Amino acid sequence: MAESVTGEAMIEAHGLALNAGARSLVKDFDWRAHAGEFWCVLGANGAGKTTLLRALAGLVAPARGEVLIKGRALAQWERHALALERGFVAQQAHDAFDAGVLETALIGRHPHLDPWTWEGAADVAAARAVLARVGLEGYEARSVKTLSGGERQRVSLATLLLQDPRICLLDEPTSHQDVAQQATVSALLRGLAREGRVVIAALHDINLAARYATHALLLDGAGTVSAGPVAHMLTAENLSRIYRHPMQVVSGQGADWFFPQG
């Protein structure tokens, strides 16, 4: 469990169990997150990061246990109300139809609109602003099918920003990004947490996690999930255990840097 924090948990898990076929990914997981926390989810490939995120978002059913948002089980939430509370960005978007960048981002405004109501000028202005915020100013008329993987991922991030949920779940939001964009996206996520949201993101880059996240969930792929503040969780011992490879810590420029040995 993470450190005790005052105030109501925004999202929590009780006795959560997740399986992949006959393999147990998560066993008896109890956890809670509060406003202002940025949780990174770390683990080896196949450890269950995506499955855990999807379960927390209510997109897959757990084998046992439950997820609560603001003290209410996910099953008790009406879908429209839930969309105002939590948003999910998948690792990769699948565009079945051609669409422009601006109209794709505007999908994030749908939970805020009355049924059968089109987006207004204020929604379009907000969409242009968030596209600029993620480095996509001038892309509004581009087809999403012409974008690079990193650009398409930032359209998904812009859609989340327009949705404006209190709980943001993201699966590999820095994937396909160059070094500069990785830092930009990570800083943006940290900013969302500082605004009073909960951010939960699966990451591969341990050093990005160490620099920007406040808390960490470590999955060992055998059912155990360890949770706590980044300063306590990101150690050579813990990382060597979850990645099943020796890790080393190098201190420099006022920070710890993590590298695989050998």
Side-chain angles (χ1 to χ4, degrees):
M1 288 291 294
E3 287 184 341
S4 176
V5 178
T6 58
E8 181 185 19
M10 292 182 67
I11 182 169
E12 52 194 305
H14 295 296
L16 197 68
L18 303 171
N19 300 327
R23 188 162 70 92
S24 178
L25 298 175
V26 173
K27 298 177 183 176
D28 300 322
F29 178 46
D30 293 313
W31 164 84
R32 60 184 59 194
H34 298 79
E37 296 175 350
F38 177 2
W39 287 81
C40 63
V41 184
L42 300 177
N45 290 338
K49 299 185 296 295
T50 295
T51 302
L52 177 58
L53 283 173
R54 290 178 62 83
L56 294 176
L59 301 177
V60 297
R64 293 186 307 280
E66 62 179 353
V67 175
L68 283 69
I69 289 180
K70 291 186 175 179
R72 293 170 54 194
L74 284 173
Q76 297 176 352
W77 284 89
E78 187 271 334
R79 184 173 298 180
H80 179 269
L82 184 60
L84 295 173
E85 296 293 337
R86 70 93 182 94
F88 177 77
V89 173
Q91 185 176 146
Q92 186 172 352
H94 299 282
D95 298 302
F97 303 100
D98 196 11
V101 166
L102 181 64
E103 64 182 308
T104 300
L106 279 168
I107 293 171
R109 294 302 303 160
H110 289 180
H112 300 272
L113 302 176
D114 293 330
W116 312 111
T117 301
W118 291 100
E119 303 91 350
D123 300 303
V124 173
R128 292 183 180 277
V130 299
L131 287 172
R133 189 176 177 186
V134 300
L136 293 176
E137 185 175 11
Y139 283 65
E140 293 85 355
R142 283 272 300 272
S143 165
V144 292
K145 288 184 173 292
T146 69
L147 302 178
S148 69
E151 290 167 343
R152 182 61 183 87
Q153 188 72 347
R154 281 183 276 144
V155 174
S156 296
L157 180 56
T159 305
L160 179 76
L161 294 175
L162 285 168
Q163 184 181 344
D164 194 27
R166 305 308 300 170
I167 301 164
C168 303
L169 301 117
L170 306 99
D171 192 2
E172 298 294 345
T174 58
S175 64
H176 310 297
Q177 307 293 341
D178 60 36
V179 172
Q181 286 298 336
Q182 286 179 4
T184 298
V185 169
S186 299
L188 189 154
L189 297 179
R190 181 177 62 184
L192 293 178
R194 287 177 172 173
E195 292 169 3
R197 296 173 177 82
V198 171
V199 177
I200 309 161
L203 299 174
H204 272 304
D205 192 314
I206 302 167
N207 292 303
L208 281 178
R211 179 176 178 183
Y212 292 100
T214 62
H215 292 72
L217 292 171
L218 306 184
L219 282 67
D220 71 355
T224 299
V225 183
S226 304
V230 159
H232 296 169
M233 302 305 300
L234 298 191
T235 66
E237 180 181 0
N238 284 341
L239 295 172
S240 298
R241 174 176 56 84
I242 66 169
Y243 290 112
R244 295 179 175 83
H245 186 90
M247 300 290 294
Q248 62 182 333
V249 182
V250 177
S251 297
Q253 298 183 340
D256 289 337
W257 303 88
F258 301 90
F259 301 97
Q261 293 184 12

